[in-house]
Amino acid sequence: MRGHFAAISLILIGVVALGINLDLFELDIVRLARTWWPLVLIALGVGLFLTPGERNRPD
């Protein structure tokens, strides 16, 4: 499961960017980023919490 959070995030960002470029929907990314930037911090924290680190590895 390690690394899935970053991979899924990149895929979602790419899908949104492609949708905007193809005029499938309109999205004001600057306004959205100004409003929802704390959600990025929360998502990173949850991702770090759920990603197993070196301390959980059996010898």
Side-chain angles (χ1 to χ4, degrees), residues 52-59:
E54 296 291 325
R55 68 179 188 273
N56 294 336
R57 227 184 231 179
D59 288 332

Side-chain angles (χ1 to χ4, degrees), residues 12 16 26 35 39 48-50 53 59:
L12 289 176
V16 169
E26 188 175 326
T35 304
L39 188 61
L48 288 173
F49 183 74
L50 295 178
D59 288 332

Side-chain angles (χ1 to χ4, degrees), residues 31-45:
R31 186 176 58 87
L32 189 66
R34 283 187 199 148
T35 304
W36 293 99
W37 70 266
L39 188 61
V40 173
L41 298 177
I42 294 168
L44 286 173

Side-chain angles (χ1 to χ4, degrees), residues 1-57:
M1 177 109 175
R2 187 177 187 133
H4 288 243
F5 180 76
I8 291 171
S9 298
L10 288 173
I11 291 169
L12 289 176
I13 291 169
V15 166
V16 169
L18 183 63
I20 292 169
N21 286 341
L22 294 175
D23 290 329
L24 296 176
F25 52 89
E26 188 175 326
L27 183 65
D28 185 6
I29 295 177
V30 174
R31 186 176 58 87
L32 189 66
R34 283 187 199 148
T35 304
W36 293 99
W37 70 266
L39 188 61
V40 173
L41 298 177
I42 294 168
L44 286 173
V46 169
L48 288 173
F49 183 74
L50 295 178
T51 302
E54 296 291 325
R55 68 179 188 273
N56 294 336
R57 227 184 231 179

